[in-house]
Amino acid sequence: DAPPPIAWDHLTDALDRLESLLVRDDTAANTLFDESQPLLRQVCGEQIQRLGRHIQQFDYPAALDVLREARATLDLAVRADST
């Protein structure tokens, strides 16, 4: 079976909201991560495991670094796909 299509607008929204919460050290990041994990895992793979570990440990600065790495990788992949 092929994986379901990626809902890019939902993914972007989840990443934006998660980044905003992590910047503010808001524990709502834990809930949002749990809810968004299947979509994030579909696109970002192993980086999501690292992100999840940091979030579960409330190490939001480290989680923010991983999230930004994942976004940069994702942006490069999207640009490569569109050429």
Side-chain angles (χ1 to χ4, degrees):
D1 283 339
I6 296 168
W8 292 107
D9 54 335
H10 293 292
L11 175 66
T12 302
D13 181 54
L15 292 172
D16 289 345
R17 289 175 30 221
L18 188 56
E19 185 169 1
S20 175
L21 293 170
L22 292 172
V23 165
R24 295 191 320 254
D25 287 329
D26 189 328
T27 58
N30 294 60
T31 303
L32 178 59
F33 177 78
D34 290 342
E35 293 169 353
S36 304
Q37 191 172 1
L39 178 61
L40 296 173
R41 185 176 305 284
Q42 182 183 359
V43 176
C44 301
E46 111 179 21
Q47 289 173 313
I48 295 310
Q49 292 175 338
R50 289 177 37 225
L51 178 62
R53 274 195 305 273
H54 292 305
I55 289 174
Q56 289 170 354
Q57 296 169 352
F58 301 95
D59 186 355
Y60 296 148
L64 189 57
D65 288 342
V66 173
L67 178 66
R68 288 178 173 161
E69 286 173 23
R71 287 192 90 147
T73 301
L74 183 60
D75 286 346
L76 290 175
V78 169
R79 275 192 233 130
D81 260 3
S82 64
T83 58

